[in-house]
Amino acid sequence: MENEQQEQQQTLGNKKLLRKIAKWVGLIIAGITLLLALAFTYLYFNQDKIKNAITATLNEQLATEVSVGGINIDFFSQFPEVSIKFSNVRAEEAVANPMQSLFLFKGIYVRFGIWDLIDGDYTVRTLTFEEG
């Protein structure tokens, strides 16, 4: 009888411990989810600022003007990094009356770290070129 009571108490103790562990795991997962949601929300509402800063940086780095047909921010295809797709990117030669473009790409994907973009650090991690 005493053994049965000890087993029941041990079983109750194990259940309480499992509930505490489940509660903490749930809180940690909820916290991470909330943090990522806040980061994506910030990036979404500041995407024009980010696009303008990156385009300005490209124009500063090249001796010629770069024209971009469209810019889209993609949060999920390269997660946990953020991709920015520049569509129909063209740069002319930096000489008078150029015979052809310096380059023309259907798309350029520029990848950044989420936290870097939030901090205003536009350091490129990876470049991928599409049809150029």
Side-chain angles (χ1 to χ4, degrees), residues 39-57:
F40 287 128
T41 301
Y42 175 83
L43 291 175
Y44 178 78
F45 285 110
N46 289 288
Q47 63 184 327
D48 289 333
K49 176 184 164 188
I50 293 167
K51 291 175 188 177
N52 292 336
I54 293 168
T55 304
T57 302

Side-chain angles (χ1 to χ4, degrees), residues 33-46 74-76 79-82 114-115 118:
T33 303
L34 179 63
L35 188 62
L36 287 174
L38 290 172
F40 287 128
T41 301
Y42 175 83
L43 291 175
Y44 178 78
F45 285 110
N46 289 288
D74 183 0
F75 297 109
F76 300 107
F79 187 80
E81 295 179 329
V82 175
I114 293 173
W115 307 118
I118 289 172

Side-chain angles (χ1 to χ4, degrees), residues 74-125:
D74 183 0
F75 297 109
F76 300 107
S77 69
Q78 303 296 323
F79 187 80
E81 295 179 329
V82 175
S83 292
I84 298 179
K85 180 184 180 186
F86 294 85
S87 303
N88 301 319
V89 181
R90 174 188 294 265
E92 300 298 330
E93 289 281 350
V95 296
N97 301 320
M99 296 303 243
Q100 63 183 14
S101 298
L102 176 64
F103 62 79
L104 173 62
F105 291 102
K106 183 177 179 181
I108 298 176
Y109 294 88
V110 185
R111 289 183 13 194
F112 301 90
I114 293 173
W115 307 118
D116 294 340
L117 287 178
I118 289 172
D119 288 339
D121 177 11
Y122 303 117
T123 303
V124 175
R125 291 195 179 183

Side-chain angles (χ1 to χ4, degrees), residues 4-68:
E4 287 179 24
Q5 286 179 342
Q6 286 177 347
E7 286 179 24
Q8 286 177 351
Q9 287 177 348
Q10 188 176 7
T11 303
L12 287 175
N14 288 342
K15 286 182 180 180
K16 286 181 181 180
L17 179 63
L18 286 175
R19 281 190 204 131
K20 283 184 181 181
I21 291 172
K23 178 182 174 182
W24 280 104
V25 169
L27 288 172
I28 290 170
I29 290 172
I32 291 170
T33 303
L34 179 63
L35 188 62
L36 287 174
L38 290 172
F40 287 128
T41 301
Y42 175 83
L43 291 175
Y44 178 78
F45 285 110
N46 289 288
Q47 63 184 327
D48 289 333
K49 176 184 164 188
I50 293 167
K51 291 175 188 177
N52 292 336
I54 293 168
T55 304
T57 302
L58 276 175
N59 284 326
E60 285 175 14
Q61 298 295 321
L62 298 173
T64 185
E65 187 73 19
V66 176
S67 64
V68 178

